[in-house]
Amino acid sequence: MDLPRHHTIREGDLRICNPFTPRKLATLGQVIKLRAGDTLLDLASGRGEMLCTWSRDHGVSGTGVDISTVSTDVARLRATEFGVADKVEFLHGDAGEFVAETPVDVAACIGATGIGGGVPGTVRLLERSLRPGGMLLVGEPFWRREPPDQETIEACHAERRDDWRDLTGLVTVFHELGWDLVEMVLADGDGWDRYAAAHWLNIRRWLDANPDDELAPAFREELTTDPLSYVRYRRNFLGWGVFALLKR
Ligand SMILES: C[S@@+](CC[C@H](N)C(=O)[O-])C[C@H]1O[C@@H](n2cnc3c(N)ncnc32)[C@H](O)[C@@H]1O
């Protein structure tokens, strides 16, 4: 069980695998008013940057679960680098059924609601690990503008228009599920660029070093088409944010 290799190559040395900059991640940690000693669960924790920086900066402890062995190893190294390896642990595994043994103060899934089959399923999954009164964090894309055609939809990594909601639709679904939206931090164009454009240099360097790899033709095609697709579609039509929720 592992994340397909092409993800790892594309994301290279990125620490945050979504359109958030380190500053946005720090802002989120501040605005949700973390307290020293708070416990966190991060499902699909990636390279562990959220848990590691928040443990260093706010004194929280917690567990991250991710299906990628590479990302789990990177996260463990980061914890050691930051001197928080005694406070955060990273488990390799499928987070789709993961429930914490001890209920946590904050349960998060940032950019991977597919693990619960979408936003409602992921909110229900996270809630199973949450103490009464605890906070959920959900990171999710949304339509900034209505996509005019199927080409735009697919360029935004969706199959159908309704694979993503617009921002109103996302807030509505949180409310319908019985949660108050109490904070949100949205990605901006700079954050999108740092995420998307970083992929291109990672791909180009990898292609130069691995011209005969079986993945090379697909990556060559991606590097030729993705920058145009990104500036034409994703950068204009797709938003992304992290939403903080408290149960009503
Ligand atoms: C877009 S990245 C976000 C990573 C991290 N939350 C961040 O913000 O940097 C999605 C992550 O979900 C992980 N993932 C996908 N499916 C998973 C699953 N079923 N169980 C655990 N992790 C999963 C991937 O390995 C990847 O690290």
Side-chain angles (χ1 to χ4, degrees), residues 64-99:
V65 184
D66 200 280
I67 207 164
S68 164
T69 49
V70 171
S71 293
T72 304
D73 287 346
V74 170
R76 288 173 181 153
L77 285 174
R78 191 65 153 172
T80 302
E81 183 188 337
F82 284 174
V84 296
D86 58 335
K87 289 192 167 161
V88 296
E89 63 169 351
F90 292 97
L91 309 177
H92 170 245
D94 186 344
E97 297 283 330
F98 190 92
V99 177

Side-chain angles (χ1 to χ4, degrees), residues 3 16-18 44-46 65-68 93-95 110-112 115 195:
L3 195 66
I16 302 171
C17 296
N18 64 55
S45 47
V65 184
D66 200 280
I67 207 164
S68 164
D94 186 344
I110 308 299
I115 65 167
Y195 186 47

Side-chain angles (χ1 to χ4, degrees), residues 146-191:
E146 192 59 30
D149 49 35
Q150 186 63 19
E151 194 175 350
T152 310
I153 291 167
E154 289 176 15
C156 293
H157 299 164
E159 290 177 18
R160 296 173 300 271
R161 187 270 174 219
D162 290 346
D163 285 351
W164 309 132
R165 297 167 175 84
D166 60 18
L167 191 51
T168 309
L170 204 47
V171 175
T172 300
V173 81
F174 293 140
H175 284 175
E176 286 173 354
L177 291 167
W179 296 78
D180 284 329
L181 176 64
V182 294
E183 254 299 356
M184 64 180 195
V185 179
L186 304 185
D188 57 20
D190 187 42

Side-chain angles (χ1 to χ4, degrees), residues 11 17-20 42-46 50 66 108-115 122 126 137-141 164 195 240-243:
E11 300 203 321
C17 296
N18 64 55
F20 254 17
D42 186 9
L43 298 185
S45 47
M50 185 170 83
D66 200 280
C109 178
I110 308 299
T113 55
I115 65 167
T122 299
L126 291 171
L137 299 176
V138 178
E140 180 74 356
W164 309 132
Y195 186 47
W240 194 90
V242 179
F243 302 87

